Coordinates of all heavy atoms in Angstrom, one line a residue:
M248 N 81.0 138.0 114.0 CA 81.4 136.8 114.7 C 80.4 135.7 114.4 O 80.8 134.5 114.4 CB 81.5 137.0 116.2 CG 82.8 137.7 116.6 SD 83.1 137.6 118.4 CE 83.4 139.3 118.7
V249 N 79.1 136.0 114.3 CA 78.1 135.0 114.0 C 78.4 134.4 112.6 O 78.3 133.2 112.5 CB 76.7 135.6 114.1 CG1 75.6 134.6 113.6 CG2 76.4 136.1 115.5
A250 N 78.7 135.2 111.7 CA 79.0 134.7 110.3 C 80.3 133.8 110.4 O 80.4 132.8 109.7 CB 79.3 135.9 109.4
G251 N 81.2 134.1 111.3 CA 82.4 133.3 111.5 C 82.0 131.9 112.0 O 82.6 130.9 111.6
V252 N 81.1 131.9 113.0 CA 80.7 130.6 113.5 C 80.0 129.7 112.5 O 80.3 128.5 112.3 CB 79.7 130.8 114.7 CG1 79.1 129.5 115.2 CG2 80.5 131.4 115.9
I253 N 79.2 130.4 111.7 CA 78.5 129.6 110.6 C 79.4 129.2 109.5 O 79.4 128.0 109.1 CB 77.4 130.5 110.0 CG1 76.3 130.8 111.0 CG2 76.8 129.9 108.7 CD1 75.3 131.8 110.6
G254 N 80.3 130.1 109.1 CA 81.3 129.7 108.1 C 82.3 128.6 108.5 O 82.5 127.6 107.7
F255 N 82.8 128.7 109.7 CA 83.7 127.7 110.1 C 83.0 126.4 110.5 O 83.5 125.3 110.4 CB 84.6 128.1 111.3 CG 85.7 129.1 110.8 CD1 85.7 130.4 111.3 CD2 86.6 128.8 109.8 CE1 86.7 131.3 110.9 CE2 87.5 129.6 109.4 CZ 87.6 130.9 109.9
G256 N 81.7 126.5 110.9 CA 80.9 125.3 111.1 C 80.7 124.5 109.8 O 80.7 123.3 109.7
I257 N 80.5 125.3 108.7 CA 80.3 124.7 107.4 C 81.6 124.0 106.9 O 81.6 122.9 106.4 CB 79.8 125.7 106.3 CG1 78.4 126.2 106.6 CG2 80.0 125.2 104.9 CD1 77.9 127.3 105.8
L258 N 82.7 124.7 107.2 CA 84.0 124.1 106.8 C 84.2 122.8 107.6 O 84.7 121.8 107.0 CB 85.2 125.0 107.1 CG 85.4 126.1 106.1 CD1 86.6 127.0 106.5 CD2 85.6 125.6 104.7
A259 N 83.9 122.8 108.9 CA 84.1 121.6 109.7 C 83.2 120.4 109.2 O 83.6 119.3 109.1 CB 83.8 121.9 111.2
F260 N 82.0 120.8 108.8 CA 81.0 119.8 108.3 C 81.6 119.2 107.0 O 81.5 118.0 106.8 CB 79.7 120.4 108.1 CG 78.6 119.4 107.6 CD1 78.1 118.5 108.4 CD2 78.2 119.5 106.3 CE1 77.1 117.6 108.0 CE2 77.2 118.6 105.8 CZ 76.7 117.6 106.7
I261 N 82.1 120.0 106.1 CA 82.6 119.5 104.8 C 83.9 118.7 105.1 O 84.1 117.6 104.4 CB 83.0 120.7 103.9 CG1 81.7 121.4 103.5 CG2 83.8 120.3 102.7 CD1 81.9 122.7 102.7
T262 N 84.7 119.1 106.0 CA 85.9 118.3 106.3 C 85.6 116.9 106.8 O 86.4 116.0 106.5 CB 86.7 119.1 107.4 OG1 87.0 120.4 106.9 CG2 88.0 118.4 107.7
V263 N 84.6 116.8 107.6 CA 84.2 115.4 108.0 C 84.0 114.5 106.8 O 84.4 113.3 106.9 CB 82.9 115.5 108.9 CG1 82.4 114.1 109.2 CG2 83.2 116.2 110.2
F264 N 83.5 115.0 105.8 CA 83.3 114.1 104.6 C 84.5 114.0 103.7 O 84.4 113.2 102.7 CB 82.0 114.6 103.8 CG 80.8 114.5 104.6 CD1 80.1 115.5 105.2 CD2 80.2 113.2 104.7 CE1 79.0 115.4 105.9 CE2 79.0 113.0 105.4 CZ 78.4 114.1 106.0
L265 N 85.5 114.8 103.9 CA 86.7 114.6 103.1 C 87.4 113.3 103.4 O 88.2 112.9 102.6 CB 87.7 115.8 103.5 CG 87.4 117.1 102.9 CD1 88.4 118.2 103.4 CD2 87.4 117.1 101.4
V266 N 87.0 112.6 104.4 CA 87.6 111.3 104.7 C 87.3 110.4 103.5 O 88.0 109.4 103.2 CB 87.1 110.7 106.0 CG1 87.5 109.3 106.2 CG2 87.5 111.6 107.1
M267 N 86.2 110.6 102.8 CA 85.8 109.7 101.7 C 86.7 109.9 100.5 O 86.6 109.1 99.6 CB 84.4 110.1 101.3 CG 83.3 109.6 102.3 SD 81.7 109.9 101.7 CE 80.9 110.8 103.0
M268 N 87.6 110.8 100.6 CA 88.6 111.0 99.5 C 89.5 109.7 99.4 O 90.0 109.4 98.3 CB 89.5 112.2 99.7 CG 90.2 112.7 98.6 SD 91.2 114.2 98.8 CE 89.9 115.4 98.9
S269 N 89.6 109.1 100.5 CA 90.5 107.8 100.5 C 89.8 106.7 99.7 O 90.5 105.7 99.4 CB 90.7 107.4 101.9 OG 89.5 106.9 102.5
D270 N 88.5 106.8 99.3 CA 87.9 105.8 98.5 C 88.5 105.8 97.1 O 88.4 104.7 96.4 CB 86.4 106.1 98.4 CG 85.7 105.9 99.7 OD1 86.3 105.3 100.6 OD2 84.5 106.4 99.8
G271 N 89.2 106.8 96.7 CA 89.8 106.8 95.4 C 91.2 106.1 95.4 O 91.8 106.1 94.3
C272 N 91.6 105.6 96.5 CA 92.9 105.0 96.5 C 92.8 103.5 96.1 O 92.1 102.7 96.7 CB 93.4 105.0 98.0 SG 93.8 106.6 98.5
M273 N 93.5 103.2 95.0 CA 93.5 101.8 94.5 C 94.9 101.5 94.1 O 95.6 102.3 93.5 CB 92.5 101.7 93.3 CG 91.1 102.0 93.7 SD 90.0 101.8 92.2 CE 88.5 102.5 92.9
G274 N 95.2 100.3 94.3 CA 96.5 99.8 93.9 C 97.7 100.3 94.7 O 98.8 100.3 94.3
G275 N 97.4 100.8 95.9 CA 98.5 101.2 96.8 C 99.2 102.5 96.4 O 100.4 102.7 96.7
T276 N 98.5 103.4 95.6 CA 99.2 104.6 95.2 C 99.0 105.7 96.1 O 99.6 106.8 95.8 CB 98.6 105.0 93.8 OG1 97.2 105.2 93.9 CG2 98.9 103.9 92.7
C277 N 98.3 105.6 97.1 CA 98.0 106.7 98.1 C 99.0 106.8 99.2 O 99.5 105.8 99.7 CB 96.6 106.6 98.6 SG 95.4 106.8 97.4
D278 N 99.3 108.0 99.6 CA 100.1 108.2 100.8 C 99.2 108.6 102.0 O 98.7 109.7 102.1 CB 101.1 109.4 100.5 CG 102.0 109.7 101.7 OD1 102.0 109.0 102.7 OD2 102.9 110.6 101.5
F279 N 98.9 107.6 102.8 CA 97.9 107.8 103.8 C 98.4 108.7 105.0 O 97.6 109.3 105.6 CB 97.4 106.4 104.4 CG 96.6 105.6 103.4 CD1 97.1 104.5 102.7 CD2 95.3 106.0 103.2 CE1 96.3 103.8 101.9 CE2 94.5 105.3 102.3 CZ 95.0 104.2 101.6
D280 N 99.7 108.7 105.2 CA 100.2 109.6 106.2 C 100.0 111.1 105.8 O 99.5 111.9 106.6 CB 101.7 109.4 106.4 CG 102.0 108.0 107.0 OD1 101.1 107.5 107.8 OD2 103.1 107.5 106.8
L281 N 100.2 111.4 104.5 CA 100.0 112.8 104.0 C 98.5 113.1 104.1 O 98.1 114.2 104.4 CB 100.6 113.0 102.6 CG 100.4 114.3 102.0 CD1 101.2 115.4 102.8 CD2 100.9 114.3 100.5
M282 N 97.7 112.1 103.7 CA 96.3 112.3 103.7 C 95.8 112.6 105.1 O 94.9 113.5 105.4 CB 95.5 111.1 103.1 CG 94.0 111.3 103.0 SD 93.2 109.9 102.2 CE 93.8 110.0 100.6
T283 N 96.3 111.9 106.1 CA 95.9 112.1 107.5 C 96.3 113.4 108.0 O 95.5 114.1 108.6 CB 96.5 111.0 108.4 OG1 96.1 109.7 107.9 CG2 96.1 111.1 109.8
V284 N 97.5 113.8 107.7 CA 98.0 115.2 108.1 C 97.2 116.3 107.5 O 96.7 117.2 108.1 CB 99.5 115.3 107.8 CG1 99.9 116.8 108.0 CG2 100.3 114.4 108.6
G285 N 96.9 116.1 106.2 CA 96.0 117.1 105.5 C 94.6 117.2 106.1 O 94.1 118.3 106.2
W286 N 94.1 116.0 106.4 CA 92.7 116.0 107.0 C 92.7 116.7 108.4 O 91.8 117.5 108.7 CB 92.2 114.6 107.1 CG 90.8 114.5 107.5 CD1 89.7 114.8 106.9 CD2 90.4 114.2 108.9 NE1 88.6 114.6 107.6 CE2 89.0 114.2 108.9 CE3 91.0 113.7 110.0 CZ2 88.2 113.9 110.0 CZ3 90.3 113.4 111.1 CH2 88.9 113.5 111.1
L287 N 93.7 116.4 109.2 CA 93.8 117.0 110.5 C 94.0 118.5 110.4 O 93.4 119.3 111.2 CB 94.9 116.4 111.3 CG 94.6 114.9 111.8 CD1 95.8 114.3 112.5 CD2 93.4 114.9 112.7
I288 N 94.8 119.0 109.4 CA 95.0 120.4 109.2 C 93.7 121.1 108.9 O 93.3 122.1 109.4 CB 96.1 120.7 108.2 CG1 97.4 120.4 108.8 CG2 96.0 122.1 107.7 CD1 98.6 120.4 107.8
A289 N 92.9 120.4 107.9 CA 91.7 121.0 107.5 C 90.6 120.9 108.6 O 89.7 121.8 108.6 CB 91.2 120.2 106.2
L290 N 90.7 120.0 109.5 CA 89.7 119.9 110.5 C 90.0 120.8 111.7 O 89.1 121.4 112.2 CB 89.6 118.4 111.0 CG 88.6 118.1 112.1 CD1 87.2 118.3 111.6 CD2 88.8 116.7 112.6
I291 N 91.2 120.9 112.1 CA 91.6 121.6 113.4 C 91.9 123.0 113.2 O 91.5 123.9 114.0 CB 92.8 120.8 114.0 CG1 92.3 119.4 114.5 CG2 93.3 121.6 115.2 CD1 93.5 118.6 115.0
S292 N 92.5 123.4 112.0 CA 93.0 124.8 111.9 C 91.9 125.8 111.9 O 92.0 126.9 112.5 CB 93.9 124.9 110.7 OG 93.3 124.6 109.6
P293 N 90.8 125.6 111.1 CA 89.8 126.7 111.1 C 89.2 127.1 112.4 O 89.1 128.3 112.8 CB 88.7 126.2 110.1 CG 89.5 125.3 109.2 CD 90.5 124.6 110.1
P294 N 88.8 126.1 113.3 CA 88.3 126.5 114.6 C 89.4 127.2 115.5 O 89.0 128.1 116.2 CB 87.8 125.2 115.3 CG 87.7 124.2 114.1 CD 88.6 124.7 113.1
V295 N 90.6 126.8 115.4 CA 91.7 127.4 116.2 C 91.9 128.8 115.7 O 92.0 129.7 116.5 CB 93.0 126.6 116.0 CG1 94.2 127.3 116.6 CG2 92.8 125.2 116.7
V296 N 91.9 129.0 114.4 CA 92.0 130.4 113.9 C 90.8 131.3 114.3 O 91.0 132.4 114.7 CB 92.1 130.4 112.3 CG1 92.0 131.8 111.8 CG2 93.5 129.8 111.9
F297 N 89.6 130.7 114.3 CA 88.5 131.4 114.6 C 88.5 131.8 116.1 O 88.2 132.9 116.5 CB 87.2 130.6 114.4 CG 85.9 131.3 114.8 CD1 85.5 132.4 114.2 CD2 85.2 130.8 115.9 CE1 84.3 133.1 114.6 CE2 84.1 131.5 116.3 CZ 83.6 132.6 115.7
L298 N 88.8 130.9 117.0 CA 88.9 131.2 118.4 C 90.0 132.2 118.7 O 89.8 133.1 119.6 CB 89.2 129.9 119.2 CG 88.0 128.9 119.3 CD1 88.4 127.6 120.0 CD2 86.8 129.5 120.0
A299 N 91.1 132.1 118.1 CA 92.1 133.1 118.2 C 91.6 134.5 117.8 O 91.9 135.5 118.4 CB 93.4 132.8 117.5
A300 N 90.9 134.6 116.7 CA 90.4 135.8 116.2 C 89.4 136.4 117.1 O 89.3 137.6 117.3 CB 89.8 135.6 114.8
V301 N 88.5 135.6 117.7 CA 87.5 136.0 118.7 C 88.2 136.7 119.9 O 87.8 137.8 120.3 CB 86.6 134.9 119.1 CG1 85.7 135.3 120.4 CG2 85.7 134.5 118.0
V302 N 89.2 136.0 120.4 CA 89.9 136.5 121.6 C 90.6 137.8 121.2 O 90.5 138.8 122.0 CB 91.0 135.5 122.1 CG1 91.9 136.1 123.1 CG2 90.3 134.3 122.7
W303 N 91.3 137.9 120.1 CA 92.0 139.1 119.7 C 91.0 140.2 119.4 O 91.2 141.3 119.8 CB 92.8 138.8 118.4 CG 93.8 139.8 118.1 CD1 94.3 140.9 118.9 CD2 94.5 140.0 116.9 NE1 95.2 141.6 118.2 CE2 95.3 141.1 116.9 CE3 94.5 139.3 115.7 CZ2 96.2 141.5 115.9 CZ3 95.3 139.7 114.6 CH2 96.1 140.8 114.7
T304 N 89.9 139.9 118.8 CA 88.8 140.9 118.6 C 88.3 141.5 119.9 O 88.2 142.7 120.0 CB 87.7 140.3 117.8 OG1 88.2 139.8 116.5 CG2 86.6 141.3 117.5
L305 N 88.0 140.6 120.8 CA 87.5 141.1 122.1 C 88.6 141.9 122.9 O 88.2 143.0 123.5 CB 87.1 139.9 123.0 CG 85.9 139.2 122.5 CD1 85.6 138.0 123.3 CD2 84.6 140.1 122.4
I306 N 89.8 141.6 122.8 CA 90.9 142.4 123.4 C 90.9 143.8 122.7 O 91.0 144.8 123.4 CB 92.2 141.7 123.3 CG1 92.2 140.5 124.2 CG2 93.4 142.6 123.6 CD1 93.4 139.5 124.1
R307 N 90.9 143.8 121.4 CA 90.9 145.1 120.7 C 89.7 145.9 121.0 O 89.8 147.2 121.1 CB 91.0 144.9 119.2 CG 92.4 144.3 118.8 CD 92.6 144.3 117.3 NE 92.5 145.7 116.7 CZ 93.5 146.5 116.6 NH1 94.7 146.2 117.1 NH2 93.4 147.7 116.0
I308 N 88.5 145.3 121.1 CA 87.3 146.1 121.5 C 87.4 146.6 122.9 O 87.0 147.8 123.2 CB 86.0 145.2 121.3 CG1 85.8 144.9 119.8 CG2 84.8 145.8 122.0 CD1 84.7 143.9 119.6
A309 N 88.0 145.8 123.8 CA 88.1 146.3 125.2 C 89.1 147.5 125.3 O 88.9 148.3 126.1 CB 88.7 145.2 126.1
R310 N 90.1 147.5 124.4 CA 91.0 148.6 124.3 C 90.5 149.8 123.4 O 91.3 150.7 123.2 CB 92.4 148.1 123.8 CG 93.0 147.2 124.8 CD 94.3 146.7 124.2 NE 95.0 145.8 125.1 CZ 96.1 145.1 124.9 NH1 96.6 145.2 123.7 NH2 96.5 144.3 125.8
R311 N 89.3 149.7 123.0 CA 88.6 150.7 122.1 C 89.4 150.9 120.8 O 89.5 152.1 120.4 CB 88.4 151.9 122.9 CG 87.5 151.7 124.1 CD 87.2 153.0 124.8 NE 86.6 152.7 126.1 CZ 85.2 152.8 126.3 NH1 84.5 153.1 125.3 NH2 84.7 152.5 127.4
K312 N 89.8 149.9 120.2 CA 90.5 150.0 118.9 C 89.6 149.3 117.8 O 88.7 148.5 118.2 CB 91.8 149.3 118.9 CG 92.8 149.9 119.8 CD 94.2 149.2 119.8 CE 95.2 149.8 120.7 NZ 96.5 149.1 120.6
T313 N 89.8 149.7 116.6 CA 89.0 149.0 115.5 C 89.3 147.6 115.4 O 90.5 147.2 115.5 CB 89.2 149.7 114.2 OG1 90.5 149.7 113.9 CG2 88.7 151.2 114.2
A314 N 88.3 146.8 115.3 CA 88.5 145.3 115.3 C 87.8 144.6 114.2 O 87.9 143.4 114.1 CB 88.1 144.7 116.6
W315 N 87.2 145.3 113.3 CA 86.5 144.6 112.2 C 87.4 143.8 111.3 O 87.0 142.8 110.8 CB 85.6 145.7 111.4 CG 86.5 146.7 110.6 CD1 86.9 147.9 111.1 CD2 87.0 146.5 109.3 NE1 87.7 148.5 110.1 CE2 87.8 147.6 109.1 CE3 87.0 145.5 108.4 CZ2 88.5 147.8 107.9 CZ3 87.7 145.6 107.2 CH2 88.4 146.8 107.0
W316 N 88.6 144.3 111.1 CA 89.5 143.7 110.2 C 90.0 142.4 110.7 O 90.5 141.5 109.9 CB 90.6 144.7 109.8 CG 91.4 145.1 111.0 CD1 91.2 146.1 111.8 CD2 92.6 144.4 111.5 NE1 92.1 146.2 112.8 CE2 93.0 145.1 112.6 CE3 93.3 143.3 111.1 CZ2 94.1 144.8 113.4 CZ3 94.4 142.9 111.9 CH2 94.8 143.6 113.0
V317 N 90.0 142.2 112.0 CA 90.5 141.0 112.6 C 89.7 139.8 112.1 O 90.2 138.7 111.7 CB 90.6 141.1 114.1 CG1 91.0 139.7 114.7 CG2 91.5 142.2 114.6
T318 N 88.4 139.9 112.2 CA 87.5 138.8 111.8 C 87.6 138.5 110.3 O 87.6 137.3 109.9 CB 86.1 139.0 112.2 OG1 85.7 140.2 111.7 CG2 86.0 139.0 113.7
V319 N 87.7 139.5 109.5 CA 87.8 139.4 108.0 C 89.1 138.7 107.7 O 89.1 137.7 106.9 CB 87.7 140.7 107.3 CG1 88.0 140.6 105.8 CG2 86.3 141.3 107.6
S320 N 90.2 139.1 108.3 CA 91.5 138.5 108.0 C 91.5 137.1 108.5 O 92.2 136.2 107.9 CB 92.6 139.3 108.5 OG 92.5 139.4 109.9
A321 N 90.9 136.8 109.7 CA 90.8 135.5 110.2 C 90.1 134.5 109.3 O 90.4 133.3 109.1 CB 90.3 135.4 111.6
A322 N 89.0 135.0 108.7 CA 88.3 134.2 107.7 C 89.1 133.8 106.5 O 89.1 132.7 106.1 CB 87.0 134.9 107.3
V323 N 89.9 134.8 106.0 CA 90.7 134.5 104.9 C 91.8 133.5 105.3 O 92.1 132.6 104.5 CB 91.3 135.9 104.3 CG1 92.4 135.6 103.3 CG2 90.3 136.7 103.8
V324 N 92.4 133.7 106.4 CA 93.5 132.8 106.9 C 92.9 131.4 107.1 O 93.5 130.4 106.7 CB 94.2 133.4 108.1 CG1 95.1 132.4 108.8 CG2 95.0 134.6 107.8
G325 N 91.8 131.4 107.8 CA 91.2 130.1 108.1 C 90.9 129.3 106.8 O 91.1 128.1 106.7
V326 N 90.2 129.9 105.8 CA 89.9 129.3 104.6 C 91.2 128.9 103.8 O 91.2 127.8 103.2 CB 89.0 130.1 103.7 CG1 88.8 129.6 102.3 CG2 87.6 130.3 104.4
G327 N 92.2 129.7 103.9 CA 93.4 129.4 103.2 C 94.1 128.2 103.8 O 94.6 127.3 103.1
I328 N 94.2 128.1 105.1 CA 94.8 126.9 105.7 C 93.9 125.7 105.5 O 94.5 124.6 105.2 CB 94.9 127.2 107.3 CG1 96.0 128.3 107.5 CG2 95.4 125.9 107.9 CD1 96.1 128.7 108.9
W329 N 92.6 125.8 105.5 CA 91.8 124.7 105.1 C 92.0 124.2 103.7 O 92.1 123.0 103.5 CB 90.3 125.1 105.3 CG 89.3 124.1 105.0 CD1 88.9 123.1 105.8 CD2 88.6 123.8 103.8 NE1 88.0 122.3 105.2 CE2 87.8 122.7 103.9 CE3 88.6 124.5 102.6 CZ2 87.0 122.2 102.9 CZ3 87.8 124.0 101.5 CH2 87.0 122.8 101.7
A330 N 92.2 125.2 102.8 CA 92.5 124.8 101.4 C 93.8 124.1 101.3 O 94.0 123.2 100.5 CB 92.4 126.0 100.5
I331 N 94.8 124.5 102.1 CA 96.1 123.8 102.1 C 95.9 122.4 102.5 O 96.5 121.5 101.9 CB 97.1 124.6 103.0 CG1 97.5 125.9 102.3 CG2 98.3 123.7 103.2 CD1 98.3 126.8 103.1
G332 N 95.1 122.2 103.6 CA 94.9 120.8 104.0 C 94.2 119.9 103.0 O 94.6 118.8 102.8
V333 N 93.2 120.5 102.3 CA 92.5 119.8 101.2 C 93.5 119.5 100.1 O 93.5 118.4 99.5 CB 91.3 120.6 100.7 CG1 90.7 119.9 99.5 CG2 90.3 120.7 101.8
A334 N 94.4 120.5 99.7 CA 95.4 120.3 98.7 C 96.3 119.2 99.0 O 96.7 118.4 98.2 CB 96.1 121.6 98.4
M335 N 96.7 119.1 100.3 CA 97.6 117.9 100.8 C 96.8 116.6 100.6 O 97.5 115.6 100.2 CB 97.9 118.2 102.2 CG 98.9 119.3 102.5 SD 99.2 119.6 104.2 CE 100.1 118.1 104.7
M336 N 95.6 116.6 100.9 CA 94.8 115.4 100.7 C 94.7 115.0 99.2 O 94.9 113.8 98.8 CB 93.4 115.5 101.3 CG 93.4 115.6 102.8 SD 91.7 115.7 103.4 CE 91.1 114.0 103.1
Q337 N 94.5 116.0 98.3 CA 94.5 115.7 96.9 C 95.9 115.2 96.4 O 95.9 114.3 95.6 CB 94.2 117.0 96.1 CG 92.7 117.4 96.2 CD 91.9 116.5 95.2 OE1 92.4 115.7 94.4 NE2 90.6 116.6 95.4
A338 N 97.0 115.8 97.0 CA 98.3 115.3 96.6 C 98.6 113.9 97.0 O 99.4 113.2 96.4 CB 99.3 116.3 97.1
S339 N 98.0 113.5 98.1 CA 98.2 112.1 98.6 C 97.6 111.1 97.8 O 97.9 109.9 97.9 CB 97.7 112.1 100.1 OG 96.3 112.0 100.1
L340 N 96.7 111.4 96.9 CA 96.0 110.4 96.1 C 96.9 109.8 95.0 O 96.7 108.7 94.6 CB 94.8 111.0 95.4 CG 93.6 111.3 96.3 CD1 92.5 112.0 95.5 CD2 93.1 110.1 97.1
G341 N 98.0 110.4 94.7 CA 99.0 109.9 93.8 C 98.5 109.8 92.4 O 99.0 108.9 91.7
R342 N 97.7 110.6 91.9 CA 97.2 110.6 90.5 C 98.0 111.5 89.6 O 98.5 112.4 89.9 CB 95.7 111.0 90.4 CG 94.9 110.0 91.2 CD 93.4 110.4 91.0 NE 92.6 109.7 92.0 CZ 91.4 110.0 92.2 NH1 90.7 110.8 91.4 NH2 90.7 109.4 93.1

């Protein structure tokens, strides 16, 4: 769980600077609505996935079931959703 906090903290830090991607917009070729949605997905989804994984992990531990795979799969899902948000931002540049 500690690695999850560090990993998703790094993703959140990187996401804050993704706003600078709009600096590449020149000549009105960018779709700012798509860029905003992609940025919000990249910013909000990893912490939500992580919190859901923590809750699910604690429930599984309380029921004395194996729970190691929950955090691993949550990391993969969180990074995947983050990458989708970044890809949406890239697509909004209109290049």
Side-chain angles (χ1 to χ4, degrees):
M248 282 195 228
V249 173
V252 170
I253 293 169
F255 287 121
I257 290 170
L258 284 181
F260 182 74
I261 293 170
T262 303
V263 171
F264 292 104
L265 285 176
V266 174
M267 289 184 230
M268 193 178 289
S269 66
D270 293 345
C272 294
M273 295 181 192
T276 60
C277 292
D278 183 0
F279 289 107
D280 294 331
L281 181 61
M282 186 178 291
T283 302
V284 170
W286 185 75
L287 288 173
I288 287 172
L290 182 67
I291 295 172
S292 62
V295 169
V296 169
F297 177 71
L298 290 176
V301 167
V302 170
W303 193 15
T304 299
L305 293 176
I306 289 171
R307 289 189 63 83
I308 290 172
R310 293 180 181 170
R311 298 183 190 263
K312 295 181 179 180
T313 57
W315 64 269
W316 61 270
V317 175
T318 54
V319 172
S320 61
V323 171
V324 168
V326 170
I328 294 174
W329 181 82
I331 289 170
V333 172
M335 289 173 67
M336 291 182 71
Q337 284 284 348
S339 72
L340 291 177
R342 294 184 200 175

